[in-house]
Amino acid sequence: MPYQSSDKTRQKKDAKRTAMMQAAVRVFSAKGYHAATIRDIVSEAGVAVGTFYFYFPDKETLFVHLYEETAQFLLQAIQQATQSRATLPQQMKAGLQAYVNIAVYEPAVVQLLLVGGVGAVPALTVKRVEFRERLTLIWQRPLDKALAETYILPQNTRRTAEAFAGAFDEVILNLLNLPEAEQEAGAVIQELLQFALRAAAYTGGN
Amino acid sequence: MPYQSSDKTRQKKDAKRTAMMQAAVRVFSAKGYHAATIRDIVSEAGVAVGTFYFYFPDKETLFVHLYEETAQFLLQAIQQATQSRATLPQQMKAGLQAYVNIAVYEPAVVQLLLVGGVGAVPALTVKRVEFRERLTLIWQRPLDKALAETYILPQNTRRTAEAFAGAFDEVILNLLNLPEAEQEAGAVIQELLQFALRAAAYTGGN
Amino acid sequence: MPYQSSDKTRQKKDAKRTAMMQAAVRVFSAKGYHAATIRDIVSEAGVAVGTFYFYFPDKETLFVHLYEETAQFLLQAIQQATQSRATLPQQMKAGLQAYVNIAVYEPAVVQLLLVGGVGAVPALTVKRVEFRERLTLIWQRPLDKALAETYILPQNTRRTAEAFAGAFDEVILNLLNLPEAEQEAGAVIQELLQFALRAAAYTGGN
Amino acid sequence: MPYQSSDKTRQKKDAKRTAMMQAAVRVFSAKGYHAATIRDIVSEAGVAVGTFYFYFPDKETLFVHLYEETAQFLLQAIQQATQSRATLPQQMKAGLQAYVNIAVYEPAVVQLLLVGGVGAVPALTVKRVEFRERLTLIWQRPLDKALAETYILPQNTRRTAEAFAGAFDEVILNLLNLPEAEQEAGAVIQELLQFALRAAAYTGGN
DNA sequence: TATGAATGAGAATTCATTCAT
DNA sequence: TATGAATGAATTCTCATTCAT
């Protein structure tokens, strides 16, 4: 009779795998790719070194995988927020809220994406470009829609979206460096929203 | 006859020192601090390992020094550009031109500052924060002046400046990834200028 | 089945640790601290470089530890020998026997203490002084007792003990350089004993 | 016309050579062979690295040469002192005075011989043995003479001399570690003399 | 599955020695 | 002769990865 992992076994396995991945996100985002050691990760996860290699092929693969997954998570959250609204102000606000929320409550996610893997590993470069591209597109779509509806003045929306992506990241990273990030969050969202609407030359219609 | 530590010798030494530093900038900006090895640097410079340690105390010291020097160079260039003009549009345009110019003709400078040393070494973290702070201040000063003269609407200029810093960096890094960056430069400057003026709610006065 | 960190495993690890320490003692005592490389030690022990650093933090720490441990071992052996006897001749004889015994059957111990770590590492200098001090005290105590009981003539027992320490070491090191050290051992003990008793002006009482 | 170094030139050369050797003795005796670098030596001597290799073939050769020369100097001084006297007490006293004198006024000499080159370089081992041997013989000769004249009791004078060599070295090294070595010197000589005469069972004749 | 001991390639750094001037 | 810039072999130590249990 072939070995068949029962549900319970699989659950346990998944739980351990998940624990290690979460530990890895914490460690990678805290120390960056190179400074983070496998030992750091496994001791954070409470397992042995060997266990790491049972679940993951190697450090680099895990990191890239983590990066992709984390990017996916963040992008989806922001996109869903923007797509659930109709007007540009609402879309931008919802998107910013989602982004800031994640930044404040899951800072490791943002750290990993924006800081942890910058000069890290060659294989990541392309993923990074991809991430920036998708993030830009998320901000561009509402702009394109608003432009089509003449709610904003004619402009290179692609460029505006790039600028948004950079601007939001910078402000949010600065926010994370404050001790009372949570309290500031609301104000930051407001200010970024106004910034974005002004920058997009939002006219509110006609 | 004793060795002549004359001007010629001194000049040669300085030249070699400079050449090695430039090689180091190239390697650091291309690979990031950790991935760049001393061997990479010396082979880029065409010298032996020992020569590196004849000129510099160690990898970290050199990197931090390079980072500071490079930051100083970039910041000064932008600041001088903005300060040499009187009105907000002129200031922003001059600053952006200076920035984009350096990015296009000395890409390693920008790469080093924005990419090369991100999750690198503890001693650098503080330098990085300092650099971001100073860069933000450069963009903030024109805004404060314009605000005082009521050329822009009331706003948190600090936040606007942060957003500018992030926005410009992102767009410029994207520009550098293009094959024909040089040709695009003019358009990018124009678009960033318009973006900035809109975002600052520049009214042109009264 | 999970890895059993059982007694057997633990014992094996301890055994290997001990084996490596013995290898290190051999290498250190043969070459001295500086000339002994980690590679020497691990190849003597038959393991890989990494294994060394799995068991010990670094070369210097191990060496100092080894020195202390070895000193402790030798000093204790000599001291126990002297303390188990009552009269000066018996005490000196027992101490010398213990010392010569160790020198002949564990020459590395003596080599390490007397030769291996002489101009070695700053941290050791103090340990060395400490070792000489304790060794001197071991020889001084019987002298003080004998002096109190007027079995020896009045003298600076501290100085006499220092001279003993130096004299015994010199003769024993010379003994170790002989091919047939073992056979000579008995005669050396006798001669050193006579030497010591004469030098201490031992009168045998009254 | 062949190059002929004039007397003045040769003197200068010799002066520089001597300066470097003295510097080397200081550095070697202070740091030990391995820790002493060529750079240490030349900067102590006030010349450039290259100059070192003009006068000496390499570090090891210089060290061995220095060791021999220093040994020769010390041995000769002691031997002349002992040979200039007739009776054992006078010989021992003169020898000890010479030894302690050098130790106190040229501590580097003694440090180099007794400490600086212990686990140093293989080529030295034989020189070291030779030095100990010659030192022992210096102490042995007076003993043999005294024995022949029945001023001391029958004994293995070779062994006694070895013990003297070790005893004197130990006490003198301890003396050098004191801050006020100079003041103590007289007492140390006295005590060592008494020690030696007792140990040799000196009867003063018939 | 899980463990952690063991491995060894590779990195930073030192320093004796060489050599063009 | 004298200089000091340049060299590169050698050393210590780290850490991703493997493997016997």
Side-chain angles (χ1 to χ4, degrees), chain D residues 57-157:
Chain D
D58 55 40
K59 187 184 175 184
E60 179 170 338
T61 304
L62 170 65
F63 185 69
V64 173
H65 176 65
L66 238 35
Y67 187 89
E68 282 184 301
E69 200 173 66
T70 304
Q72 179 63 17
F73 166 72
L74 180 72
L75 292 170
Q76 209 158 55
I78 300 177
Q79 186 160 34
Q80 281 183 353
T82 60
Q83 286 181 343
S84 67
R85 299 296 189 283
T87 70
L88 184 65
Q90 288 171 335
Q91 289 172 318
M92 295 303 295
K93 184 172 188 184
L96 283 167
Q97 278 175 330
Y99 197 171
V100 169
N101 243 333
I102 291 175
V104 169
Y105 296 107
E106 302 275 9
V109 164
V110 174
Q111 291 283 342
L112 183 74
L113 290 172
L114 303 189
V115 180
V118 173
V121 4
L124 197 73
T125 307
V126 53
K127 301 288 175 193
R128 220 188 113 72
V129 169
E130 209 177 296
F131 166 63
R132 301 309 299 174
E133 180 66 26
R134 291 175 63 193
L135 183 57
T136 298
L137 281 177
I138 288 179
W139 300 125
Q140 189 179 349
R141 203 154 317 161
L143 290 172
D144 283 337
K145 177 167 171 286
L147 182 61
E149 297 165 346
T150 69
Y151 288 149
I152 61 175
L153 299 185
Q155 62 195 276
N156 183 342
T157 57

Side-chain angles (χ1 to χ4, degrees), chain A residues 50-61:
Chain A
T51 310
F52 178 90
Y53 288 91
F54 178 76
Y55 287 100
F56 310 106
D58 55 39
K59 188 185 176 184
E60 179 170 338
T61 305

Side-chain angles (χ1 to χ4, degrees), chain C residues 4-57:
Chain C
Q4 287 297 328
S5 175
S6 60
D7 284 358
K8 214 171 108 198
T9 307
R10 175 74 48 86
Q11 274 177 16
K12 235 191 202 165
K13 188 177 169 181
D14 283 2
K16 182 157 248 172
R17 192 188 159 81
T18 303
M20 291 186 65
M21 290 180 73
Q22 288 171 344
V25 169
R26 282 194 296 275
V27 175
F28 279 135
S29 62
K31 300 194 163 190
Y33 178 77
H34 272 112
T37 70
I38 299 293
R39 242 169 237 309
D40 288 336
I41 295 172
V42 297
S43 75
E44 171 85 15
V47 297
V49 230
T51 307
F52 177 90
Y53 290 94
F54 180 75
Y55 285 97
F56 312 108

